[in-house]
Amino acid sequence: MANSQDVLVEVQDLQVHFHLHEGVVRAVDDVSFTIHQGQTLGVIGESGSGKSVSAQSIMGIVPSPPAKQIGGKIFMHLSDNGTGYRVVNLSELPPKGNEFRAIRGKEIGMIFQEPMTSFSPVHTIGDQIMEAILLHIPNVSKKEARERTIEILRRVGIPKAERRVDNYSHQFSGGMRQRAMIAMALSCNPKLLIADEPTTALDVTIEAQILELLKDLQQEFNMAIMYISHDLAVVGGVADEVMVMYLGLVMEHASAEEVFENPLHPYTQALWRSIPKIDGDLSRLKPISGTLPSPFAVHKGCPFFSRCDDRIVGVCDMARPPLVEVKPGHKVRCYLYTEQGKG
């Protein structure tokens, strides 16, 4: 484990497999990363790359069965009543146990992709946010919890929050439900906020407001953020570090500036080429060639081999490439940067 005092979460060699009738899906396969206090880790990649499952593993909410964590450890560094830090191995805690329940919601908050399925349809939005506050924050009265709920709803841009607090989720539009979901995740000032496509249902103006809110709260509470998104422009604007995933593997990991200015992996480069540029050819986008392989497929070599323009036959398809540190802080999983590829 890292000894740095600013480390909040360490994920080491995480492996999560889904055992289905059709076969085994290696959703997360040997993934390691660190999240630091007050920093934002951006996680990008196509659908099915393992981004959400990695986040759900930290929260302890991966559906089991069919999912099972077959390897790896997840450590969280928690303050111990102001006297120091204690390290908790989340992967060893029962997901439905009291200790994990105390951490989930209080120390770790999560903004889900689909708020309609995240709220109870038979309880008001306010009651559900108040429940989290009363459960995790000691010595708070119901009146104080309600006032806190109204304030956080107001901060995420819900108009007339003092009235809307008593509405049900079906009385909110899609964008309003997303904002309420964000309010619930932020209600207990978590040390880590996992944002899984948090602005998908919002228009551009509200998206900018929410991103600004997250930045303000991050600075105010020294909160770490794990930001999962398909929108590379948004990730570039909010993240300190960027982790690129593909079929359950980390393909590249570096500072946001380094990844955007000097992408090394052919997959990362292909993602960048697919973004329309103002000074480029706007008449035609450049999608990544080929299609995402079947999630049930077992890859002997690099999983990106069939779609890669720089593949080396007889090397890239023979064994999984290692994750190598090309320069300090910049890691890439590609044979182009190993002795086998250079030879």
Side-chain angles (χ1 to χ4, degrees):
M1 291 186 297
N3 294 317
S4 177
Q5 286 295 310
D6 69 343
V7 169
L8 183 64
V9 174
E10 295 174 80
V11 177
Q12 300 178 353
D13 307 318
L14 180 65
Q15 292 179 293
V16 180
H17 294 181
F18 283 72
H19 296 267
L20 307 174
H21 293 298
E22 300 88 342
V24 177
V25 176
R26 294 164 176 79
V28 177
D29 206 4
D30 193 23
V31 167
S32 300
F33 58 89
T34 301
I35 302 175
H36 297 268
Q37 294 179 14
Q39 300 291 302
T40 300
L41 172 66
V43 186
I44 62 174
E46 294 171 276
S47 296
S49 61
K51 307 184 302 296
S52 295
V53 176
S54 298
Q56 291 168 4
S57 298
I58 297 175
M59 283 285 286
I61 57 172
V62 177
S64 177
K68 184 178 181 181
Q69 182 178 328
I70 64 169
K73 297 178 180 179
I74 303 171
F75 296 102
M76 185 162 191
H77 297 231
L78 301 173
S79 57
D80 197 5
N81 298 322
T83 61
Y85 286 86
R86 61 188 177 95
V87 180
V88 178
N89 187 349
L90 299 181
S91 52
E92 290 184 349
L93 297 181
K96 296 182 181 180
N98 291 333
E99 189 173 359
F100 214 139
R101 287 179 182 271
I103 294 172
R104 188 190 301 120
K106 174 65 172 70
E107 306 290 350
I108 311 173
M110 186 165 185
I111 305 170
F112 295 92
Q113 277 185 325
E114 181 42 69
M116 191 62 178
T117 59
S118 302
F119 282 112
S120 166
V122 296
H123 298 91
T124 66
I125 293 290
D127 282 344
Q128 293 178 69
I129 298 176
M130 287 171 57
E131 181 183 17
I133 295 171
L134 292 169
L135 181 64
H136 292 294
I137 300 180
N139 305 319
V140 173
S141 66
K142 286 188 176 181
K143 181 180 178 182
E144 291 171 332
R146 181 178 174 87
E147 291 173 351
R148 184 180 180 123
T149 299
I150 293 172
E151 175 59 24
I152 193 66
L153 287 174
R154 188 177 290 120
R155 290 193 70 175
V156 298
I158 294 181
K160 299 180 181 178
E162 65 281 357
R163 290 171 50 189
R164 302 307 301 268
V165 70
D166 295 317
N167 286 165
Y168 294 87
S169 59
H170 68 270
Q171 295 176 285
F172 278 51
S173 66
M176 295 278 275
R177 277 195 298 270
Q178 189 73 352
R179 281 177 267 178
M181 180 79 257
I182 294 170
M184 176 178 279
L186 296 173
S187 62
C188 297
N189 299 332
K191 298 290 189 302
L192 170 64
L193 176 66
I194 299 174
D196 192 354
E197 299 280 2
T199 57
T200 299
L202 307 180
D203 58 56
V204 176
T205 304
I206 298 301
E207 178 184 52
Q209 293 174 4
I210 292 298
L211 293 175
E212 195 62 35
L213 170 65
L214 292 180
K215 287 183 180 180
D216 291 343
L217 292 173
Q218 183 176 38
Q219 293 180 353
E220 184 177 346
F221 300 109
N222 196 30
M223 179 176 64
I225 299 176
M226 182 178 181
Y227 196 101
I228 300 169
S229 179
H230 292 91
D231 193 328
L232 305 181
V234 170
V235 169
V238 302
D240 298 291
E241 294 184 9
V242 173
M243 183 170 72
V244 182
M245 295 187 68
Y246 185 79
L247 284 182
L249 291 173
V250 176
M251 307 307 274
E252 189 163 358
H253 190 162
S255 67
E257 182 179 3
E258 180 71 16
V259 168
F260 276 80
E261 291 186 359
N262 185 32
L264 297 179
H265 198 283
Y267 177 57
T268 310
Q269 295 169 357
L271 287 175
W272 267 223
R273 286 195 299 268
S274 67
I275 306 173
K277 297 178 176 61
I278 294 178
D279 58 350
D281 182 8
L282 298 179
S283 63
R284 189 175 183 84
L285 296 178
K286 296 180 180 178
I288 301 175
S289 61
T291 58
L292 199 68
S294 167
F296 301 105
V298 178
H299 302 276
K300 184 178 180 181
C302 177
F304 191 60
F305 175 80
S306 63
R307 308 174 71 186
C308 182
D309 294 332
D310 301 311
R311 59 181 176 265
I312 306 172
V313 178
V315 176
C316 299
D317 55 340
M318 297 307 294
R320 176 185 293 180
L323 188 65
V324 296
E325 191 166 23
V326 178
K327 60 174 67 175
H330 195 158
K331 299 178 181 179
V332 60
R333 188 185 299 278
C334 183
Y335 278 120
L336 294 176
Y337 307 96
T338 65
E339 292 302 321
Q340 297 98 310
K342 295 176 182 177

PDB file of all heavy atoms in Angstrom, residues 18-25 294-297:
ATOM      1  N   PHE A  18     -18.462 -11.755 -14.231  1.00  0.00           N
ATOM      2  CA  PHE A  18     -19.896 -12.047 -14.216  1.00  0.00           C
ATOM      3  C   PHE A  18     -20.089 -13.455 -14.778  1.00  0.00           C
ATOM      4  O   PHE A  18     -19.739 -13.720 -15.933  1.00  0.00           O
ATOM      5  CB  PHE A  18     -20.671 -11.036 -15.066  1.00  0.00           C
ATOM      6  CG  PHE A  18     -20.861  -9.697 -14.407  1.00  0.00           C
ATOM      7  CD1 PHE A  18     -19.796  -8.826 -14.261  1.00  0.00           C
ATOM      8  CD2 PHE A  18     -22.102  -9.310 -13.927  1.00  0.00           C
ATOM      9  CE1 PHE A  18     -19.952  -7.590 -13.658  1.00  0.00           C
ATOM     10  CE2 PHE A  18     -22.272  -8.081 -13.321  1.00  0.00           C
ATOM     11  CZ  PHE A  18     -21.201  -7.221 -13.187  1.00  0.00           C
ATOM     12  N   HIS A  19     -20.653 -14.335 -13.973  1.00  0.00           N
ATOM     13  CA  HIS A  19     -20.882 -15.716 -14.401  1.00  0.00           C
ATOM     14  C   HIS A  19     -22.321 -15.842 -14.910  1.00  0.00           C
ATOM     15  O   HIS A  19     -23.271 -15.897 -14.117  1.00  0.00           O
ATOM     16  CB  HIS A  19     -20.616 -16.673 -13.240  1.00  0.00           C
ATOM     17  CG  HIS A  19     -19.188 -16.658 -12.774  1.00  0.00           C
ATOM     18  ND1 HIS A  19     -18.233 -17.534 -13.246  1.00  0.00           N
ATOM     19  CD2 HIS A  19     -18.547 -15.832 -11.905  1.00  0.00           C
ATOM     20  CE1 HIS A  19     -17.074 -17.269 -12.679  1.00  0.00           C
ATOM     21  NE2 HIS A  19     -17.229 -16.237 -11.861  1.00  0.00           N
ATOM     22  N   LEU A  20     -22.468 -15.874 -16.219  1.00  0.00           N
ATOM     23  CA  LEU A  20     -23.775 -15.914 -16.862  1.00  0.00           C
ATOM     24  C   LEU A  20     -23.965 -17.252 -17.573  1.00  0.00           C
ATOM     25  O   LEU A  20     -23.016 -18.031 -17.737  1.00  0.00           O
ATOM     26  CB  LEU A  20     -23.893 -14.768 -17.869  1.00  0.00           C
ATOM     27  CG  LEU A  20     -23.579 -13.365 -17.334  1.00  0.00           C
ATOM     28  CD1 LEU A  20     -23.586 -12.358 -18.463  1.00  0.00           C
ATOM     29  CD2 LEU A  20     -24.581 -12.969 -16.249  1.00  0.00           C
ATOM     30  N   HIS A  21     -25.196 -17.524 -18.017  1.00  0.00           N
ATOM     31  CA  HIS A  21     -25.472 -18.773 -18.726  1.00  0.00           C
ATOM     32  C   HIS A  21     -24.661 -18.866 -20.018  1.00  0.00           C
ATOM     33  O   HIS A  21     -24.236 -19.954 -20.427  1.00  0.00           O
ATOM     34  CB  HIS A  21     -26.966 -18.881 -19.041  1.00  0.00           C
ATOM     35  CG  HIS A  21     -27.826 -19.041 -17.827  1.00  0.00           C
ATOM     36  ND1 HIS A  21     -27.723 -20.118 -16.976  1.00  0.00           N
ATOM     37  CD2 HIS A  21     -28.805 -18.251 -17.306  1.00  0.00           C
ATOM     38  CE1 HIS A  21     -28.606 -20.005 -15.996  1.00  0.00           C
ATOM     39  NE2 HIS A  21     -29.271 -18.873 -16.174  1.00  0.00           N
ATOM     40  N   GLU A  22     -24.438 -17.704 -20.655  1.00  0.00           N
ATOM     41  CA  GLU A  22     -23.720 -17.707 -21.933  1.00  0.00           C
ATOM     42  C   GLU A  22     -22.212 -17.867 -21.761  1.00  0.00           C
ATOM     43  O   GLU A  22     -21.503 -18.157 -22.714  1.00  0.00           O
ATOM     44  CB  GLU A  22     -24.004 -16.400 -22.692  1.00  0.00           C
ATOM     45  CG  GLU A  22     -25.470 -16.174 -23.019  1.00  0.00           C
ATOM     46  CD  GLU A  22     -26.196 -15.445 -21.892  1.00  0.00           C
ATOM     47  OE1 GLU A  22     -25.663 -15.429 -20.758  1.00  0.00           O
ATOM     48  OE2 GLU A  22     -27.272 -14.899 -22.147  1.00  0.00           O
ATOM     49  N   GLY A  23     -21.722 -17.635 -20.560  1.00  0.00           N
ATOM     50  CA  GLY A  23     -20.291 -17.719 -20.309  1.00  0.00           C
ATOM     51  C   GLY A  23     -19.871 -16.740 -19.228  1.00  0.00           C
ATOM     52  O   GLY A  23     -20.699 -16.198 -18.497  1.00  0.00           O
ATOM     53  N   VAL A  24     -18.569 -16.502 -19.137  1.00  0.00           N
ATOM     54  CA  VAL A  24     -18.012 -15.612 -18.124  1.00  0.00           C
ATOM     55  C   VAL A  24     -17.600 -14.299 -18.783  1.00  0.00           C
ATOM     56  O   VAL A  24     -16.882 -14.280 -19.780  1.00  0.00           O
ATOM     57  CB  VAL A  24     -16.796 -16.256 -17.424  1.00  0.00           C
ATOM     58  CG1 VAL A  24     -16.179 -15.282 -16.419  1.00  0.00           C
ATOM     59  CG2 VAL A  24     -17.195 -17.551 -16.733  1.00  0.00           C
ATOM     60  N   VAL A  25     -18.067 -13.191 -18.204  1.00  0.00           N
ATOM     61  CA  VAL A  25     -17.678 -11.854 -18.660  1.00  0.00           C
ATOM     62  C   VAL A  25     -16.642 -11.313 -17.682  1.00  0.00           C
ATOM     63  O   VAL A  25     -16.941 -11.129 -16.497  1.00  0.00           O
ATOM     64  CB  VAL A  25     -18.889 -10.903 -18.727  1.00  0.00           C
ATOM     65  CG1 VAL A  25     -18.420  -9.494 -19.117  1.00  0.00           C
ATOM     66  CG2 VAL A  25     -19.916 -11.408 -19.717  1.00  0.00           C
ATOM     67  N   SER A 294     -16.821  -9.477 -28.478  1.00  0.00           N
ATOM     68  CA  SER A 294     -17.795 -10.048 -27.552  1.00  0.00           C
ATOM     69  C   SER A 294     -17.236 -10.032 -26.130  1.00  0.00           C
ATOM     70  O   SER A 294     -16.065 -10.341 -25.910  1.00  0.00           O
ATOM     71  CB  SER A 294     -18.115 -11.497 -27.954  1.00  0.00           C
ATOM     72  OG  SER A 294     -18.809 -12.155 -26.911  1.00  0.00           O
ATOM     73  N   PRO A 295     -18.060  -9.657 -25.148  1.00  0.00           N
ATOM     74  CA  PRO A 295     -17.581  -9.656 -23.757  1.00  0.00           C
ATOM     75  C   PRO A 295     -17.233 -11.045 -23.248  1.00  0.00           C
ATOM     76  O   PRO A 295     -16.540 -11.178 -22.241  1.00  0.00           O
ATOM     77  CB  PRO A 295     -18.757  -9.047 -22.988  1.00  0.00           C
ATOM     78  CG  PRO A 295     -19.951  -9.292 -23.850  1.00  0.00           C
ATOM     79  CD  PRO A 295     -19.460  -9.211 -25.251  1.00  0.00           C
ATOM     80  N   PHE A 296     -17.722 -12.093 -23.931  1.00  0.00           N
ATOM     81  CA  PHE A 296     -17.429 -13.466 -23.512  1.00  0.00           C
ATOM     82  C   PHE A 296     -16.116 -13.985 -24.097  1.00  0.00           C
ATOM     83  O   PHE A 296     -15.631 -15.036 -23.704  1.00  0.00           O
ATOM     84  CB  PHE A 296     -18.566 -14.407 -23.936  1.00  0.00           C
ATOM     85  CG  PHE A 296     -19.900 -14.024 -23.360  1.00  0.00           C
ATOM     86  CD1 PHE A 296     -20.859 -13.420 -24.162  1.00  0.00           C
ATOM     87  CD2 PHE A 296     -20.199 -14.260 -22.038  1.00  0.00           C
ATOM     88  CE1 PHE A 296     -22.093 -13.060 -23.641  1.00  0.00           C
ATOM     89  CE2 PHE A 296     -21.422 -13.901 -21.507  1.00  0.00           C
ATOM     90  CZ  PHE A 296     -22.380 -13.300 -22.305  1.00  0.00           C
ATOM     91  N   ALA A 297     -15.545 -13.240 -25.049  1.00  0.00           N
ATOM     92  CA  ALA A 297     -14.330 -13.696 -25.716  1.00  0.00           C
ATOM     93  C   ALA A 297     -13.139 -13.656 -24.767  1.00  0.00           C
ATOM     94  O   ALA A 297     -13.014 -12.754 -23.933  1.00  0.00           O
ATOM     95  CB  ALA A 297     -14.046 -12.835 -26.941  1.00  0.00           C
TER      96      ALA A 297
END
